[in-house]
Amino acid sequence: MRADLRGPFVVRVVLGQVATLPLVIAGVVVLSVGPGGLYWLMAGTIFSILAALFEAWVLLVEINR
């Protein structure tokens, strides 16, 4: 991978993980403990929306430059 593309790729991978991991944690906590994992579901949803907004910003604005 080219050096100039490595930084944006790492940011996209980290955003994907930050958006996905709370959802996985929510599932595990709900199955093992109970409804307390629904707070993780809310956090995962918010992070997923933020990651989608970031990707949309890149597609709409950064590509036109």
Side-chain angles (χ1 to χ4, degrees):
M1 178 176 288
R2 294 187 348 218
D4 60 334
L5 297 177
R6 216 172 274 144
F9 177 74
V10 170
V11 170
R12 290 178 61 201
V13 168
V14 168
L15 280 176
Q17 293 299 314
V18 167
T20 305
L21 286 177
L23 298 174
V24 173
I25 293 170
V28 170
V29 171
V30 165
L31 288 175
S32 63
V33 178
L38 296 178
Y39 293 110
W40 283 100
L41 183 65
M42 184 177 61
T45 303
I46 291 170
F47 286 139
S48 295
I49 291 170
L50 291 175
L53 286 173
F54 177 76
E55 292 292 331
W57 176 264
V58 170
L59 289 174
L60 290 173
V61 175
E62 296 294 327
I63 291 179
N64 288 332
R65 289 185 183 181

